[in-house]
Amino acid sequence: MTPPLDLNRRQFLGAAGLTAGATLLAGCAPSAAAASGPRTLQFWHLLSGGDGVTMSGLLDGVNKAQSAYRIRPTVLAWGTPYYTKLAMAAAGGRAPDVAIMHATRVLGWAPGGLLDAWDTDRLAELGVDASSFPNPIWKKGDVDGRRLSIALDAHPFVLMYNTEVCEKAGVLEDGRLKEATSPEDFLAMVDAIAGVTGGHGLSYGYLGDGSQMWRLFYTLYTQHGIEMEMPQGGPAVIDKDAAVASLEFMQKLLDGKRAAKQADYGTAVAEFTTGKSGMFLSGVWELRTVQAAKIPFDIAMIPAVFGTPTAYADSHSFVLPHQSRPDATSRDLAHRFAADMPKGSFGWAEAGHIPAYLPVTESARYAKLLPQAHYAEAAQHVRYDPPAWFTGSGSNFQGQFGAAAQPALLGGSDPAAAVDRFQDAVKRFLSQPNPADPEGARR
């Protein structure tokens, strides 16, 4: 089985000696200090579309707000192309000054020295420390006692609902969705909504999309008050009973009446935004899509039907890709930039993401931002992928989960067999060394 990471082991260990790669990336090395004027910082990110436009606005804001630095962004294709190029730049020690990474991908890069640590004392001087971030989000940036990432946001998997449809179905209370404290409660709500729409009560697109299946499944799984553990070498700690219960609940939602048995992501978006369903399971990144549809809606955390409020999420985070000879001035300015961006992230909130910086989400201005303020609590309950070198956004891990789970969701086959297939895939992942870890490569 091919190692499920964007670079294979030979690429990681040989990247520093690739003359062509070094030539290509030479323009990204820190420039010599200018005699006067702002320092230019090279910043790589993978945000495009609406998020890319919003990020450009944030960068314009920080550029105008001070005169010490100017950000020069480079936008690369989401997923494998981005992480491959960033890894090769870091392996060669000629990386950009700062970059965006998903928080769930950081752990896999740490052993190979592909990321440099942030100076926590300097960050604290700039107003960035544990007191200004939700605890689970701040903790995610620490790897073996080193601060390797600083979160800009959390972007959780949530429940969107059409308030007009839900009002007719009698599932609102004071204009907000009623609490559902068991699987039966939630299924009854979806049934009531389906009675109003005459079609489906819920939209959920999952066909061929392992990430979508995983996001809902892991939200439900962690609602049991547990998380998966996947230590290098194994064995994995996966509660089979909780996993089966979570998949069984997903099967009950996908019965053809509550939600379509066979729906891809685009079909689910279209169904909800045209008023043909009353609920929609998706990520906060679809906020602007739904707003553009001009339907009355609100957003809430997915009900804690198994007891514990949780929200599967990832975070766009700032990292320092490894540089062999970092310029002291540029490195200090990178710290300033990583502190300035969370402080100025209200525009990021308008796009749907939950800012990680608490002074933003606890402000009076944010309290008036709807529906964002209605799901801000999710930041306190985020659950990331199980920490492992092969997990995280854009990884093959989520695709493997989808391959294991889709037969059960599509055809109603035994969910226990699906969990067994998933456990077998995790066992194969755990038997492989981290390609980014030179020690692991020699074992």
Side-chain angles (χ1 to χ4, degrees):
M1 182 176 178
T2 302
L5 195 66
D6 302 310
L7 290 178
N8 62 36
R9 194 171 302 114
R10 180 176 298 174
Q11 285 174 304
F12 265 111
L13 298 179
L18 290 175
T19 302
T23 301
L24 175 65
L25 297 166
C28 298
S31 59
S36 62
R39 181 69 62 95
T40 296
L41 298 181
Q42 304 290 343
F43 171 52
W44 286 13
H45 69 82
L46 70 175
L47 300 161
S48 59
D51 280 349
V53 172
T54 304
M55 175 58 71
S56 293
L58 295 184
L59 296 178
D60 287 343
V62 297
N63 279 339
K64 294 175 182 177
Q66 46 71 48
S67 58
Y69 65 82
R70 290 291 180 271
I71 296 299
R72 179 177 294 168
T74 296
V75 184
L76 300 171
W78 195 94
T80 297
Y82 178 77
Y83 284 112
T84 297
K85 291 177 182 178
L86 185 60
M88 293 186 70
R94 300 179 65 82
D97 297 294
V98 64
I100 286 284
M101 281 188 71
H102 289 97
T104 52
R105 299 297 294 264
V106 171
L107 179 65
W109 288 42
L114 296 178
L115 298 175
D116 293 337
W118 294 93
D119 183 334
T120 54
D121 290 337
R122 180 59 177 139
L123 289 174
E125 292 173 357
L126 295 166
V128 171
D129 58 27
S131 68
S132 50
F133 289 75
N135 186 55
I137 295 177
W138 181 257
K139 286 176 59 179
K140 187 63 178 174
D142 273 338
V143 178
D144 296 330
R146 302 169 69 223
R147 168 64 37 187
L148 291 186
S149 68
I150 303 165
L152 174 63
D153 64 32
H155 41 279
F157 203 64
V158 293
L159 178 66
M160 301 186 182
Y161 57 97
N162 184 311
T163 52
E164 184 176 289
V165 171
C166 288
E167 179 69 33
K168 292 178 181 179
V171 299
L172 298 187
E173 184 174 348
D174 297 327
R176 303 282 296 279
L177 198 65
K178 289 181 178 179
E179 184 178 10
T181 59
S182 69
E184 294 73 25
D185 283 351
F186 188 70
L187 293 173
M189 293 173 69
V190 179
D191 287 338
I193 294 169
V196 171
T197 64
H200 298 129
L202 174 77
S203 296
Y204 173 53
Y206 72 93
L207 280 180
D209 192 336
S211 295
Q212 275 292 95
M213 287 180 262
W214 172 253
R215 289 162 183 153
L216 178 56
F217 168 80
Y218 203 56
T219 296
L220 298 171
Y221 179 91
T222 54
Q223 285 184 1
H224 290 82
I226 55 177
E227 295 186 54
M228 294 181 184
E229 298 176 23
M230 300 181 182
Q232 185 65 39
V237 179
I238 301 174
D239 187 310
K240 187 171 182 178
D241 289 340
V244 169
S246 301
L247 275 177
E248 285 179 338
F249 179 63
M250 293 171 69
Q251 287 179 320
K252 290 176 181 178
L253 288 174
L254 299 167
D255 69 348
K257 178 69 173 177
R258 295 178 179 124
K261 283 180 176 289
Q262 304 179 29
D264 58 23
Y265 190 88
T267 298
V269 172
E271 183 178 55
F272 181 69
T273 55
T274 55
K276 296 178 181 177
S277 69
M279 289 181 169
F280 178 38
L281 289 166
S282 188
V284 297
W285 48 87
E286 290 296 347
L287 172 67
R288 283 185 165 162
T289 301
V290 179
Q291 286 176 326
K294 304 297 184 182
I295 62 172
F297 78 102
D298 206 341
I299 304 179
M301 286 181 58
I302 294 173
V305 298
F306 291 112
T308 302
T310 65
Y312 173 80
D314 209 334
S315 294
H316 295 113
S317 300
F318 297 105
V319 296
L320 294 171
H322 176 64
Q323 293 182 348
S324 298
R325 293 179 296 276
D327 177 85
T329 299
S330 293
R331 184 55 58 94
D332 184 71
L333 291 173
H335 283 69
R336 285 189 56 181
F337 169 64
D340 289 343
M341 287 290 281
K343 294 174 184 178
S345 60
F346 189 84
W348 203 236
E350 291 177 316
H353 308 286
I354 304 175
Y357 194 63
L358 287 174
V360 173
T361 56
E362 293 176 349
S363 68
R365 185 185 181 195
Y366 188 86
K368 298 176 183 178
L369 184 65
L370 298 177
Q372 289 90 325
H374 286 170
Y375 59 85
E377 62 178 316
Q380 301 289 346
H381 303 289
V382 298
R383 297 294 186 275
Y384 296 99
D385 273 12
W389 66 264
F390 50 82
T391 61
S393 295
S395 67
N396 288 344
F397 165 77
Q398 294 180 359
Q400 287 296 311
F401 172 79
Q406 183 162 296
L409 300 180
L410 187 60
S413 62
D414 183 12
V419 174
D420 288 340
R421 290 192 294 270
F422 172 58
Q423 289 179 313
D424 288 343
V426 172
K427 186 177 181 179
R428 291 194 296 272
F429 285 137
L430 289 172
S431 69
Q432 302 168 22
N434 181 352
D437 181 0
E439 292 300 319
R442 288 193 285 269
R443 286 196 291 267

